[in-house]
Amino acid sequence: MNSVGEACTDMKREYDQCFNRWFAEKFLKGDGSGDPCTDLFKRYQQCVQKAIKEKEIPIEGLEFMGHSKEKPESSS
Amino acid sequence: YKWRDCLLTPDDYVFPTSHPWDTVIKAAMRKYPNPMNPCVVGVDVLERSVDGRGRLHSHRLLSTEWGLPGFVKAILGTSRTLTYIKEHSVVDPVEKKMELCSTNITLTNLVSVNERLVYTPHPEDPEMTVLTQEAIITVKGISLGSYLESLMANTISSNAKK
């Protein structure tokens, strides 16, 4: 599956592999602490945010999660 | 449409699947690509975090090709069929519940498709998973509105069965 930004597909796949492994082997087994994929995610995000701007995709600055205690780290 | 409230009036479909919850949601996370749903052409994770209750939140951007028949595109007055959808999902590994809410963020002046899926273990058989799916589809300003609504509803429900 591709990224919405063509140049980001490889980074996306690397991140997805890392995430899927962590998700199945750690998170679902009760170990949600630690995130081995942060660096991959940051790089991938920089690319995606750029593609979103270039394609003028109307996604607002992610101010969701009214019900969670922790604010997610902003990626930009 | 509020993310927190996800959904609203049910057009409820409950599909027992013959796999335990863990298996189903690992697959759901990797749902795209799914050869049964060729409409999704791009997926990106925009944000991901674990909240104070240990639940994983993901915000994803999906790009989809609706595959609308030519005459429908003509009615809509657009040849642009690439549609973007934003999706928020929450996975609770303790309660064993995964909830996904999505809404289109383009073509919003024509149609609004809000979908909510919830995966939980089957209450009577832990080897099975129940998928509950709800959708609210609103077509705006078109006289053939109710036809399009049922067309989309049929597509969504037949995709969910796969």
Side-chain angles (χ1 to χ4, degrees):
Chain A
M1 180 53 59
N2 295 331
S3 168
V4 299
E6 297 78 10
C8 313
T9 297
D10 286 345
M11 286 181 244
K12 168 197 145 63
R13 287 186 187 153
E14 265 192 272
Y15 165 72
D16 282 347
Q17 265 189 331
C18 179
F19 169 77
N20 287 331
R21 199 164 37 230
W22 171 82
F23 185 69
E25 292 169 17
K26 298 271 173 164
F27 181 75
L28 287 185
K29 298 191 176 167
D31 181 11
S33 65
D35 180 1
C37 312
T38 334
D39 290 342
L40 286 173
F41 187 66
K42 280 187 181 136
R43 257 186 19 160
Y44 162 48
Q45 273 310 291
Q46 277 167 359
C47 184
V48 168
Q49 294 295 335
K50 189 160 166 267
I52 286 171
K53 286 200 177 97
E54 280 168 6
K55 294 181 187 234
E56 298 182 339
I57 298 172
I59 188 128
E60 299 130 33
L62 307 172
E63 65 293 89
F64 314 109
M65 301 195 204
H67 48 70
S68 82
K69 285 182 188 161
E70 279 175 336
K71 276 239 170 245
E73 238 181 11
S74 172
S75 55
S76 53
Chain B
Y1 180 74
K2 292 178 191 155
W3 281 108
R4 268 204 285 171
D5 297 344
C6 255
L7 261 225
L8 316 156
T9 45
D11 191 280
D12 229 303
Y13 295 89
V14 179
F15 305 99
T17 72
S18 55
H19 296 283
W21 186 82
D22 277 32
T23 307
V24 171
I25 67 150
K26 277 185 249 182
M29 267 304 186
R30 305 171 79 147
K31 183 180 174 191
Y32 306 111
N34 174 354
M36 294 300 177
N37 190 3
C39 289
V40 177
V41 300
V43 185
D44 281 299
V45 179
L46 299 183
E47 199 152 2
R48 205 162 239 162
S49 62
V50 178
D51 70 15
R53 287 165 53 182
R55 303 177 307 176
L56 179 74
H57 292 257
S58 306
H59 291 273
R60 299 199 303 175
L61 174 66
L62 317 179
S63 52
T64 64
E65 284 284 357
W66 267 104
L68 294 172
F71 79 94
V72 176
K73 292 189 210 177
I75 289 166
L76 292 176
T78 177
S79 55
R80 184 175 64 94
T81 55
L82 189 67
T83 309
Y84 291 104
I85 290 169
K86 66 175 181 182
E87 176 205 84
H88 174 210
S89 63
V90 186
V91 182
D92 188 331
V94 172
E95 203 190 317
K96 288 197 186 271
K97 181 176 171 189
M98 178 175 186
E99 186 170 322
L100 300 99
C101 293
S102 65
T103 188
N104 58 304
I105 57 173
T106 57
L107 294 187
T108 49
N109 56 323
L110 293 173
V111 69
S112 169
V113 180
N114 295 321
E115 201 177 27
R116 175 185 182 233
L117 288 81
V118 183
Y119 293 90
T120 49
H122 194 288
E124 279 141 38
D125 182 355
E127 289 301 299
M128 301 225 319
T129 299
V130 174
L131 164 62
T132 304
Q133 182 170 20
E134 301 162 273
I136 290 184
I137 301 158
T138 313
V139 180
K140 305 169 190 182
I142 304 172
S143 57
L144 294 178
S146 59
Y147 172 81
L148 286 174
E149 279 175 306
S150 65
L151 181 75
M152 287 188 186
N154 287 338
T155 306
I156 286 176
S157 77
S158 65
N159 279 345
K161 286 180 178 128
K162 290 170 187 168

